[in-house]
């Protein structure tokens, strides 16, 4: 039986996130100092997203909390989540986050990983029945949406690594925002960019996977990006060309979960995330294929195998605990 997200697990994940989204230290800022005046604490730089070790992890932990609150409104931590959002999603704090981005030194801040996650958070808030949090987040979301509009026409080449710089991940997450806000122009830009970058890719060998600090599969997140953006029939045809031997579990490296030797090492701990993000991608890919299809069966088996190794390590050492639950939710809910 495939593992699923239930209320007890959702409460556990929410408790984990609530334990670190306002934990300011340790902290790894992605910050350029233009002068001594820029030497400031994380909460001074980012009054909303200062916790969770780094800005992007704080953002996607907020996404997870928002998602779990909507999915399971009766969970025990619900009141604490609401209080967190009420305290953080206020005009002055959102304006400070926008002001940070307006600095010339912040042009590439968190591109594209943090961009995608912020828009994913905004798309989730837009689905809540009470619009107060979504309305508060709107100026920051629009700032990042505009960054996509400005950047993608300049981006001649994709970035295919298995870490934060992967461009397929950024497109895939931004697609949810474009849909939630009915921004058809942005959706068309995302699709045309994905087609330009990935449309002609065939027979992916995945020979470089996994690298020693991957938390994404460059092959599978590309496939998930195309699944999200292409019409269903076009995606299946593209997948036939891109990964033609899924039914025989090839390339074998995509079906073999990663081994994690040291979870106290932040880079090596990324590999737990790789197992979870691969499970998310495999499940999503399977959803596009017919019931009983050999490729669907192989994809779901691979997802289960990766989940079995990733889920037990969502909590433990802080190097994984500050971010892994978000990817577990993606995988469980795919």
């Amino acid at each position: 039986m495939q593992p699923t997200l239930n209320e007890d697990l959702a409460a556990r994940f929410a408790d984990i996130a609530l334990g670190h989204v306002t934990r300011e230290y340790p902290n790894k800022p992605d910050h350029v100092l233009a002068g001594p005046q820029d030497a400031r604490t994380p909460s001074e730089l980012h009054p909303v997203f200062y916790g969770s070790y780094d800005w992007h992890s704080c953002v996607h932990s907020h996404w997870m909390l928002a998602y779990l609150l909507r999915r399971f409104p009766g969970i025990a931590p619900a009141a604490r989540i609401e209080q967190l959002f009420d305290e953080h999603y206020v005009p002055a704090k959102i304006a400070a986050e926008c002001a940070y981005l307006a600095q010339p030194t912040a042009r590439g801040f968190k591109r594209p990983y943090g961009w995608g996650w912020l828009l994913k958070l905004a798309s989730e808030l837009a689905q809540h029945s009470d619009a107060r949090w979504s309305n508060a987040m709107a100026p920051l979301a629009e700032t990042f949406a505009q960054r996509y509009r400005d950047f993608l026409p300049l981006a001649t080449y994709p970035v295919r690594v298995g870490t934060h710089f992967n461009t397929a991940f950024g497109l895939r997450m931004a697609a949810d925002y474009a849909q939630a806000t009915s921004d058809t122009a942005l959706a068309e830009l995302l699709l045309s960019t994905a087609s330009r970058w990935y449309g002609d890719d065939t027979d992916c060998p995945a020979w470089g996977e996994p690298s020693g600090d991957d938390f994404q599969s460059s092959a599978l997140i590309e496939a998930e990006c195309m699944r999200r953006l292409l019409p269903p029939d076009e995606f299946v045809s593209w997948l036939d060309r891109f990964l033609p031997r899924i039914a025989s579990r090839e390339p074998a490296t995509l079906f073999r979960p990663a081994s994690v030797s040291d979870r106290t090492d932040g880079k090596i701990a990324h590999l737990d995330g790789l197992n979870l993000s691969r499970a998310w991608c495999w499940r999503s890919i399977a959803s596009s294929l017919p019931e009983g299809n050999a490729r669907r069966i192989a994809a779901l088996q691979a997802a289960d195998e990766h989940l079995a190794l990733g889920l037990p390590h969502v909590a433990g050492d802080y190097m994984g605990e500050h971010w892994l639950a978000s990817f577990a939710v993606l995988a469980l809910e795919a």
Side-chain angles (χ1 to χ4, degrees), residues 9-60:
L9 190 55
R12 178 189 167 215
F13 287 167
D15 281 334
I16 291 171
L18 288 165
H20 59 69
V21 290
T22 57
R23 177 178 171 178
E24 190 167 4
Y25 300 102
N27 200 292
K28 185 181 180 184
D30 184 358
H31 178 55
V32 178
L33 299 173
Q37 72 280 0
D38 293 328
R40 299 157 64 195
T41 66
S43 59
E44 290 171 334
L45 294 168
H46 301 291
V48 181
F49 303 115
Y50 59 83
S52 307
Y53 190 71
D54 48 45
W55 188 91
H56 54 258
S57 297
C58 197
V59 170
H60 62 73

Side-chain angles (χ1 to χ4, degrees), residues 56 162-164 212-216 260 262 265-277 319-320 322-324:
H56 54 258
T163 55
H164 308 84
D213 69 347
D214 282 355
F215 64 90
Q216 300 187 67
V260 186
D262 184 358
D265 183 299
K267 293 291 190 179
I268 297 174
H270 274 181
L271 294 165
D272 278 320
L274 176 65
N275 286 332
L276 294 170
S277 61
M319 287 297 95
H322 76 270
W323 67 281
L324 284 171

Side-chain angles (χ1 to χ4, degrees), residues 228-302:
R228 182 64 182 82
L229 289 168
L230 288 174
D233 290 346
E234 290 184 29
F235 169 69
V236 172
S237 296
W238 178 89
L239 185 67
D240 288 343
R241 300 189 300 272
F242 183 64
L243 291 172
R245 295 180 295 280
I246 291 175
S248 56
R249 295 175 64 96
E250 294 179 355
T253 186
L254 296 181
F255 292 85
R256 187 183 307 119
S259 175
V260 186
S261 61
D262 184 358
R263 291 184 169 87
T264 67
D265 183 299
K267 293 291 190 179
I268 297 174
H270 274 181
L271 294 165
D272 278 320
L274 176 65
N275 286 332
L276 294 170
S277 61
R278 279 185 174 183
W280 165 48
C281 292
W282 275 128
R283 279 190 164 187
S284 298
I285 291 166
S287 72
S288 71
L289 301 170
E291 291 282 352
N293 181 277
R295 292 177 299 169
R296 180 186 177 101
I297 293 169
L300 290 174
Q301 288 175 340

Side-chain angles (χ1 to χ4, degrees), residues 45-308:
L45 294 168
H46 301 291
V48 181
F49 303 115
Y50 59 83
S52 307
Y53 190 71
D54 48 45
W55 188 91
H56 54 258
S57 297
C58 197
V59 170
H60 62 73
S61 295
H62 274 246
W63 165 79
M64 182 184 72
L65 290 170
Y67 179 83
L68 296 177
L69 181 63
R70 182 172 62 89
R71 178 83 160 77
F72 301 100
I75 58 173
R80 294 164 60 203
I81 298 172
E82 293 174 359
Q83 181 181 359
L84 172 77
F85 291 173
D86 283 340
E87 291 176 354
H88 283 67
Y89 301 168
V90 295
K93 292 183 177 181
I94 297 296
E97 294 278 358
C98 292
Y100 180 88
L101 295 169
Q103 301 174 78
T105 54
R107 178 180 179 182
F109 178 74
K110 300 299 181 181
R111 184 176 74 201
Y113 185 72
W115 296 14
W117 270 119
L118 192 286
L119 293 188
K120 178 73 168 172
L121 168 61
S123 71
E124 173 55 40
L125 295 174
Q127 298 178 69
H128 285 236
S129 57
D130 189 328
R132 68 185 190 276
W133 299 325
S134 178
N135 291 340
M137 188 62 64
L140 185 58
E142 174 55 27
T143 298
F144 280 105
Q146 188 59 46
R147 295 207 159 186
Y148 274 98
R149 298 183 194 109
D150 293 339
F151 172 70
L152 292 181
L154 303 176
T156 306
Y157 309 107
V159 180
R160 300 176 184 273
V161 296
T163 55
H164 308 84
F165 307 105
N166 184 285
T167 46
F169 179 89
L171 296 184
R172 188 263 172 265
M173 298 310 242
D176 290 346
Y177 173 81
Q179 179 178 357
T181 58
S182 300
D183 190 333
T184 55
L186 178 59
E188 290 170 2
L189 175 61
L190 297 171
L191 174 57
S192 65
T193 303
S195 298
R196 171 166 58 89
W197 282 346
Y198 310 119
D200 294 332
D201 288 357
T202 59
D203 201 8
C204 175
W207 61 265
E209 297 191 35
S211 183
D213 69 347
D214 282 355
F215 64 90
Q216 300 187 67
S217 161
S218 58
L220 294 180
I221 192 58
E222 178 178 335
E224 168 56 10
C225 172
M226 296 299 270
R227 183 204 65 81
R228 182 64 182 82
L229 289 168
L230 288 174
D233 290 346
E234 290 184 29
F235 169 69
V236 172
S237 296
W238 178 89
L239 185 67
D240 288 343
R241 300 189 300 272
F242 183 64
L243 291 172
R245 295 180 295 280
I246 291 175
S248 56
R249 295 175 64 96
E250 294 179 355
T253 186
L254 296 181
F255 292 85
R256 187 183 307 119
S259 175
V260 186
S261 61
D262 184 358
R263 291 184 169 87
T264 67
D265 183 299
K267 293 291 190 179
I268 297 174
H270 274 181
L271 294 165
D272 278 320
L274 176 65
N275 286 332
L276 294 170
S277 61
R278 279 185 174 183
W280 165 48
C281 292
W282 275 128
R283 279 190 164 187
S284 298
I285 291 166
S287 72
S288 71
L289 301 170
E291 291 282 352
N293 181 277
R295 292 177 299 169
R296 180 186 177 101
I297 293 169
L300 290 174
Q301 288 175 340
D304 288 350
E305 290 162 12
H306 282 81
L307 268 174

